[in-house]
Amino acid sequence: MFSAGGDPKAGYSAFVSEGFVSLSGGKAIKVNILRDTGALHTYVRRNIVPFSSTSDTGDFSLMRGMGMQLIPVPLHRMSIVCGLVSGEVVVGVRPELPVEGVDVILGNDLAGDKVWAEAIAPNVVTQVPVSSYPSKQEGKTEVLPACAVTHAKKKKVKGLGKEITLLMQTLNTLSTSEEKLGGLCTMYAELLEENRNTQKQMKVLQKKQNQLVQEKDNLRNEHSKAILARSKLESLCRELQRHNRTLKEEGIQRTRLEEEKRKEVTSHFQVTLNDIQTQMERHDERNASLRQENADLAEKLKKLYEQYKLREEHIDKVVKHKDLQQQLVDAKLHQAQELLKESEERHERERDFLLKEAVESQMMCELKLQSTCWSPLLRGEV
C-alpha cells in the first residue's frame, strides 16, 4: 500500500543499486536493480532492451504473487553486470514491474544468499560449471560463488601432493636411472590407460546425466504445464461459480417478474373474457335475425333456381333446333359442292375435247395449204 503522493521506491532504496544489461552483441543499458529476497526468479521490464525471438528461450516460468494466481512468464537470455551478478543469464520478461523506477528485480535464482554487494569479486554466472565436466542445459543457468573454484583447486593440489609423494617413494627404491625411467614409463602407461578408462566412464556418465537432465526438464515442463492447467481450471471453476450465482440471482428476479406478469395477464384475461361473453350474447341475437334473413333468401334462391332450370331447358331445345338447321345447311352445302365439282369436271372434259378438235382442224388446214402449194410443182408449171 502506497500513500498518495509518496515515492514507491523510497521504501526499497537500501536494496536498489545500479547496473547494466544488454543483449548479445548489443549496447549496455544502465538500469536500477532491486534485490528482492522474496523473489524466487529474476524479472526485467520489457522495454529496457529490444527482446526478440533471438533472445527467447522458448520456455516460461510460473510466477505467483499475493493474489495466489499462477502467471506464465516468458524467459529470455541477456547479459547483466552489477555488484551481485555478472554474466549471461535467463530472466523472466514482464510488461511492467510493481515498483516504480525499478527496471530489474533480482531474485534468489541469480543472487543466491547475497543481499548487498561486497568488496570481493562478483559472482560469475556461466552455462557450464567451471569445476566440473560440461553438462550444458539449454535454457538453464547456474550461479556459482567465486570461492567454489578455489576450494576445488585446493582439493586437487592436496590429492596431487599425495600422489607425487608415493611416486617419489617408489622411484627411490630403484637404483639406476634406466630403471627409474622404465618405472616412470610403466606408471605413465598405467595412468594413461586408467585415464582412458576414466574418460570412457565419464562419457557414459555424461550421457546418462544428459538423459537424466533431459528427463528432469521434461518432467519440470510437464509439471509446469500441469500447474498452469490446474490454475486455469481453478479460475474457470471460480468463474463458473460466479456465473452460476449470477444465473441463480437472475432466475429468482426473472421468476418474480414472471409472477407479476402472470397476475397482470390473469386480470386482463378475466376482463377480456367478460367482454367476449357480452359480445357473444349480442352476436347470438344478431345471428338469429341473420338466420331468418337467410331462410327468406333461400326461398327466393329456390324460386330463381326453378326459373333458371326452365330457361335452361328452353335454351337447350333452341340449341338443338339450331343444330339441326346447321346440319341441314351443311348437307345442302356439301351437295352443292359435289354438283359444282361434277360440272367443273364436265367442263374440263369438254374443253379438252374442243382443244383436241381445234388442233386436228388446224392440222387439216395446214395439210390442205401444203397440198395447194405443191400441186403446180408436181404438174411442171414452175
Side-chain angles (χ1 to χ4, degrees):
M1 299 292 290
F2 302 116
S3 61
D7 184 8
K9 195 176 67 173
Y12 301 97
S13 59
F15 306 97
V16 176
S17 61
E18 294 182 351
F20 295 90
V21 296
S22 64
L23 295 179
S24 178
K27 181 181 178 181
I29 306 298
K30 188 176 180 180
V31 294
N32 292 326
I33 302 174
L34 170 63
R35 174 64 181 105
D36 186 0
T37 57
L40 181 61
H41 299 286
T42 301
Y43 300 99
V44 63
R45 198 151 51 89
R46 179 181 297 169
N47 58 356
I48 296 300
V49 292
F51 292 106
S52 63
S53 58
T54 305
S55 62
D56 191 4
T57 63
D59 201 358
F60 63 90
S61 65
L62 295 176
M63 181 181 70
R64 181 163 61 183
M66 296 297 290
M68 301 305 292
Q69 292 184 354
L70 294 174
I71 302 175
V73 180
L75 299 179
H76 288 257
R77 288 190 179 90
M78 73 171 191
S79 297
I80 183 172
V81 177
C82 65
L84 294 174
V85 179
S86 179
E88 184 179 356
V89 296
V90 175
V91 297
V93 179
R94 294 290 297 158
E96 291 293 339
L97 296 181
V99 181
E100 185 178 354
V102 171
D103 303 313
V104 178
I105 293 180
L106 187 61
N108 299 334
D109 57 340
L110 299 183
D113 58 352
K114 294 183 178 295
V115 180
W116 292 281
E118 299 176 357
I120 60 174
N123 300 335
V124 177
V125 182
T126 60
Q127 295 294 109
V128 181
V130 177
S131 60
S132 62
Y133 58 88
S135 60
K136 185 176 180 180
Q137 303 177 19
E138 185 176 356
K140 305 293 181 181
T141 58
E142 186 175 355
V143 182
L144 295 177
C147 60
V149 178
T150 304
H151 290 311
K153 286 182 178 179
K154 289 181 179 179
K155 292 180 180 179
K156 187 175 181 181
V157 170
K158 290 181 180 179
L160 289 175
K162 292 180 180 179
E163 292 178 358
I164 291 173
T165 303
L166 293 175
L167 177 61
M168 294 301 295
Q169 290 177 359
T170 305
L171 291 176
N172 289 331
T173 58
L174 300 176
S175 59
T176 64
S177 300
E178 289 78 5
E179 292 178 354
K180 291 180 179 180
L181 181 61
L184 284 173
C185 291
T186 304
M187 293 182 67
Y188 177 76
E190 292 176 355
L191 288 174
L192 182 62
E193 184 66 24
E194 185 179 356
N195 188 20
R196 290 177 181 175
N197 295 331
T198 304
Q199 290 292 333
K200 291 180 181 179
Q201 292 178 1
M202 286 179 65
K203 289 180 180 179
V204 174
L205 292 175
Q206 184 177 0
K207 290 181 180 179
K208 291 182 179 179
Q209 184 177 4
N210 291 334
Q211 293 177 357
L212 292 175
V213 169
Q214 187 175 1
E215 291 178 359
K216 182 181 178 181
D217 291 339
N218 294 332
L219 291 175
R220 185 177 297 173
N221 292 331
E222 292 178 359
H223 181 65
S224 301
K225 291 179 181 179
I227 293 175
L228 182 60
R230 186 184 66 181
S231 64
K232 289 182 179 180
L233 288 174
E234 290 176 353
S235 61
L236 289 175
C237 289
R238 287 192 293 270
E239 185 66 24
L240 181 61
Q241 290 175 357
R242 286 195 296 269
H243 185 63
N244 288 334
R245 284 196 297 270
T246 304
L247 289 177
K248 186 176 180 181
E249 293 174 357
E250 290 179 355
I252 294 172
Q253 186 68 21
R254 191 175 297 173
T255 303
R256 291 176 182 174
L257 294 175
E258 292 294 334
E259 185 66 22
E260 293 176 358
K261 289 182 180 180
R262 187 184 65 80
K263 291 180 180 178
E264 292 177 0
V265 170
T266 302
S267 61
H268 181 69
F269 178 75
Q270 187 64 35
V271 173
T272 306
L273 186 62
N274 294 332
D275 294 340
I276 291 173
Q277 189 173 1
T278 304
Q279 291 179 4
M280 286 180 64
E281 292 176 355
R282 294 176 183 176
H283 290 166
D284 288 339
E285 295 176 357
R286 187 177 178 183
N287 289 334
S289 61
L290 290 175
R291 280 196 298 270
Q292 185 64 34
E293 292 177 1
N294 289 334
D296 297 338
L297 289 174
E299 187 66 25
K300 291 180 182 180
L301 288 173
K302 185 177 180 181
K303 292 179 181 180
L304 289 173
Y305 175 72
E306 291 176 354
Q307 293 176 3
Y308 176 76
K309 190 174 181 181
L310 293 173
R311 189 171 181 178
E312 286 289 330
E313 291 177 357
H314 178 68
I315 291 171
D316 290 338
K317 290 179 181 180
V318 172
V319 170
K320 288 180 181 179
H321 181 67
K322 292 291 184 183
D323 291 339
L324 291 174
Q325 289 180 352
Q326 184 68 31
Q327 291 177 4
L328 181 60
V329 170
D330 292 338
K332 288 180 179 180
L333 179 62
H334 183 68
Q335 187 177 3
Q337 289 177 353
E338 292 292 334
L339 292 174
L340 180 62
K341 187 176 180 181
E342 289 178 0
S343 64
E344 288 178 353
E345 291 177 353
R346 187 171 57 253
H347 178 70
E348 187 71 24
R349 286 195 300 270
E350 289 177 357
R351 190 183 66 175
D352 293 338
F353 180 72
L354 291 174
L355 288 173
K356 186 176 181 182
E357 286 184 352
V359 170
E360 290 178 356
S361 298
Q362 187 177 3
M363 291 177 65
M364 292 296 294
C365 290
E366 289 178 356
L367 289 174
K368 286 180 180 182
L369 288 173
Q370 290 179 1
S371 63
T372 304
C373 293
W374 286 98
S375 59
L377 293 173
L378 293 174
R379 287 197 302 269
E381 294 180 354
V382 179

